[in-house]
Amino acid sequence: MRLRLLLLALGTFAVGTDGMVIAGILGLVAHDLDVSVAAAGQMITVFALAYAVLAPVLATLTAKWPRRRTLLLALTVFTAANALSALAPDFTTLLLTRVLAAVGAALYTPTANAAATTLVPPERRGRAIATVMGGMTVATALGVPLGTWVGRSDWRLTMWVVTALGAAAFAGLALLLRDLPAPAPAVSLRTRLAPLTDRRVLGATATTFLVFLAYQSVFIYYTVAAAPATGGDQSRLTLLLLVSGVFSVVGSNVGGRVVDAWGPRVVMLTAGTVSVAVTLALPWLMQSMTTALIASALNPLAGWSVSVALPARLVSLDPPNAPLLLSLNSTALYLGIAAAGATGSAAIAVLGNRWFPLASTALTALAVVVAHLTTREPRPTSRRATAPLESISAK
């Protein structure tokens, strides 16, 4: 059981590395293909937007397919797309290959999470999702620094690293992942899309969007936020990012266990509140290396705990429709990432380099409020209030 979950996580590790490593090679891409760094940043935007739009569509179109076949097809497309990215002769072709890579990623991640929830009993779903999502957090801690280091002189080498990761995930799943439970019986498209009318589903996806918008609007510009602590020293910045990556992994694992023990709502509200407090303190914490290290541990610890609780909450609402619900979560996640670059940039322009994390504070607080309002259980009708009606009926 554990092996199968780790194999699924290997795929999310490849996808996560691909989605985040681009930020480390933008300058090299811009120089090689003769575009501005801002234009090169479109690689991140088109990937995130394509993923966001395609995830629920692909989940619906492939709902009847055996999950193993879907996973292998997704990794085939993903791996081929990254190989084409490495060979792209111009920037336009490169953008097209990023869209194709998003197709594979958008098909893989929701299917992998849905498959994980079928491999364990209901009381262990949080840990199963945490294991699969752990691939993305490990990508933050290891894959991104590795890919950036390998591509420090040639960005195409980074794309070949991601291609190799995709091929390794494909080989592992093809050889060792067998006997996955079959998808739920096919239902009509109208029935499949019914969860979209549920305010709890809409609330959960809105929370996911706000959480990742808030988190990424600081992470993308971490160089700016941490400048007072690092003094421009790249080795100090690398240490902060390494600590952030390690505690992302810890947060994902701890979050999964706490979700299973206490439920998604407690994790979302508690860890979300911690994130509000940490981002509120960032303008002061980032003034020295010691306190910046503390912030680099606490913020991802809380943030990635929430990231596990969000899909666990969605799956609990309607387990038979888990692939669709998880694809909606992925859509909201990548929409948040796509919007974070512009949001962080605007926050810097308005609030300045020191105070721009306060925009993340406001967004995280809003996410906590939305989570609170959309996860409340309805109050039971008071016995005292119904007594007079019952007595009237009895007469």
Side-chain angles (χ1 to χ4, degrees):
M1 192 72 67
R2 181 70 174 173
L3 175 61
R4 290 193 283 181
L5 292 176
L6 291 175
L7 287 171
L8 293 171
L10 179 60
T12 55
F13 174 71
V15 170
T17 300
D18 188 38
M20 291 179 281
V21 78
I22 300 300
I25 58 172
L26 286 182
L28 293 171
V29 172
H31 181 267
D32 184 39
L33 299 181
D34 195 24
V35 297
S36 67
V37 173
Q42 294 176 25
M43 295 169 63
I44 298 173
T45 302
V46 298
F47 181 93
L49 287 177
Y51 188 117
V53 172
L54 292 171
V57 175
L58 293 173
T60 300
L61 293 177
T62 61
K64 299 179 184 179
W65 294 10
R67 287 193 173 125
R68 183 173 180 272
R69 182 203 300 172
T70 304
L71 292 168
L72 293 178
L73 175 62
L75 287 174
T76 299
V77 173
F78 173 82
T79 303
N82 278 283
L84 291 173
S85 292
L87 297 170
D90 54 61
F91 188 62
T92 300
T93 303
L94 181 58
L95 288 181
L96 292 174
T97 65
R98 301 316 300 150
V99 173
L100 185 61
V103 172
L107 183 57
Y108 181 82
T109 305
T111 305
N113 277 314
T117 63
T118 66
L119 295 175
V120 297
E123 65 272 13
R124 293 181 62 87
R125 282 179 184 152
R127 272 170 279 188
I129 292 174
T131 299
V132 177
M133 291 294 289
M136 297 191 73
T137 57
V138 173
T140 304
L142 300 178
V144 173
L146 172 64
T148 303
W149 181 79
V150 169
R152 64 193 184 280
S153 59
D154 185 353
W155 65 270
R156 296 178 190 273
L157 293 177
T158 297
M159 304 315 301
W160 284 119
V161 168
V162 178
T163 301
L165 290 174
F170 177 91
L173 293 178
L175 294 174
L176 300 174
L177 189 68
R178 305 283 181 179
D179 304 321
L180 278 177
V187 295
S188 68
L189 181 60
R190 181 177 180 179
T191 301
R192 181 167 294 280
L193 296 180
L196 295 176
T197 62
D198 189 334
R199 75 172 185 87
R200 298 172 302 169
V201 173
L202 294 177
T205 52
T207 305
T208 297
F209 171 78
L210 290 169
V211 165
F212 278 87
L213 174 61
Y215 185 80
Q216 291 292 325
S217 64
V218 172
F219 185 78
I220 290 173
Y221 298 101
Y222 213 63
T223 301
V224 176
T230 64
D233 187 332
Q234 191 68 19
S235 63
R236 288 189 171 193
L237 177 62
T238 300
L239 177 60
L240 291 179
L241 291 175
L242 178 61
V243 169
S244 178
V246 169
F247 277 86
S248 296
V249 177
V250 174
S252 180
N253 286 318
V254 170
R257 293 181 179 277
V258 178
V259 164
D260 287 336
W262 295 344
R265 186 174 195 269
V266 172
V267 177
M268 286 189 287
L269 299 183
T270 304
T273 301
V274 172
S275 286
V276 171
V278 173
T279 55
L280 181 62
L282 279 181
W284 293 273
L285 293 176
M286 288 302 186
Q287 297 304 301
S288 75
M289 194 64 186
T290 300
T291 52
L293 285 169
I294 295 172
S296 297
L298 290 178
N299 205 35
L301 181 66
W304 280 97
S305 295
V306 175
S307 75
V308 173
L310 292 166
R313 166 67 177 167
L314 274 171
V315 171
S316 70
L317 296 177
D318 189 2
N321 271 316
L324 174 64
L325 294 176
L326 290 170
S327 71
L328 293 174
N329 187 73
S330 294
T331 290
L333 187 159
Y334 275 91
L335 282 175
I337 293 174
T343 301
S345 178
I348 290 173
V350 174
L351 301 175
N353 290 356
R354 178 175 181 179
W355 303 102
F356 84 93
L358 296 181
S360 176
T361 305
L363 290 167
T364 306
L366 180 58
V368 172
V369 171
V370 172
H372 170 68
L373 294 176
T374 57
T375 57
R376 288 186 303 179
E377 295 296 332
R379 291 184 177 181
T381 304
S382 171
R383 177 70 181 173
R384 181 177 297 177
T386 59
L389 292 177
E390 291 175 354
S391 61
I392 291 172
S393 300
K395 293 179 181 179

